[in-house]
Amino acid sequence: MSRRLKIAEIKRAVADEFALTVPDLCSKNQAHYVAHPRMMAMYLCQKAAGCSLPQIGRAFGGKHHTTVLAGVRRAKELLETEADFLGAYERVVTALSLTATEPPPDNRSVVQRLKDVERKLDDLLLARENHPLLNVGPTGNPTPAREM
């Protein structure tokens, strides 16, 4: 990153992206449509502006540093699992003209998880078809078990 951003710049860019006001980000509102952008802004304040957790907490309405830490961790999790959140993050980063020091996580982890679930489902279906006490008819409906 070429320069350190100011917290006010980050709050403004995030608020603009989510059609909120800066006071909304600093409020005690816990609704996800306010909390998620707040978490993103806190994450950016730590990563892009290099602010400490207590500094970020003071800038967001006197939040405790552990609250900020939880928000930063949750934002990181959302970046890895939620495509919409990642897209908004990328738009904010672009709006701030940042080249992030650590790139945002890509969606491969989500895709990989989906592939893992599909593989497990295939394994379960195969196990069901090969189960000695349960036959599956051509329609996929169970048929009575064969006598042994």
Side-chain angles (χ1 to χ4, degrees), residues 7 11 26 38-39 41-47 49-65 67-69 72:
I7 293 176
K11 290 196 299 189
C26 298
R38 181 185 306 121
M39 291 174 207
M42 290 177 175
Y43 177 82
L44 280 167
C45 286
Q46 186 184 46
K47 299 299 178 191
C51 297
S52 69
L53 299 176
Q55 286 174 318
I56 297 167
R58 285 190 296 273
F60 282 86
K63 306 268 188 285
H64 195 267
H65 73 278
T67 301
V68 176
L69 179 60
V72 167

Side-chain angles (χ1 to χ4, degrees), residues 5-66:
L5 291 168
K6 294 181 177 162
I7 293 176
E9 293 173 306
I10 293 170
K11 290 196 299 189
R12 176 81 268 148
V14 171
D16 289 346
E17 171 63 29
F18 290 93
L20 297 170
T21 64
V22 172
D24 287 339
L25 290 178
C26 298
S27 72
K28 293 184 178 191
N29 189 339
Q30 294 179 9
H32 73 91
Y33 66 89
V34 176
H36 286 184
R38 181 185 306 121
M39 291 174 207
M40 180 186 293
M42 290 177 175
Y43 177 82
L44 280 167
C45 286
Q46 186 184 46
K47 299 299 178 191
C51 297
S52 69
L53 299 176
Q55 286 174 318
I56 297 167
R58 285 190 296 273
F60 282 86
K63 306 268 188 285
H64 195 267
H65 73 278
T66 57

Side-chain angles (χ1 to χ4, degrees), residues 92-133:
V92 169
V93 169
T94 300
L96 292 168
S97 302
L98 287 179
T99 53
T101 54
E102 81 178 47
D106 59 22
N107 280 341
R108 271 184 275 163
S109 60
V110 174
V111 171
Q112 187 59 47
R113 287 180 193 164
L114 287 173
K115 287 181 181 177
D116 290 343
V117 168
E118 287 174 354
R119 223 175 294 122
K120 287 178 184 175
L121 183 59
D122 289 342
D123 290 345
L124 287 172
L125 290 174
L126 184 61
R128 179 178 167 207
E129 289 172 3
N130 295 328
H131 194 280
L133 299 176

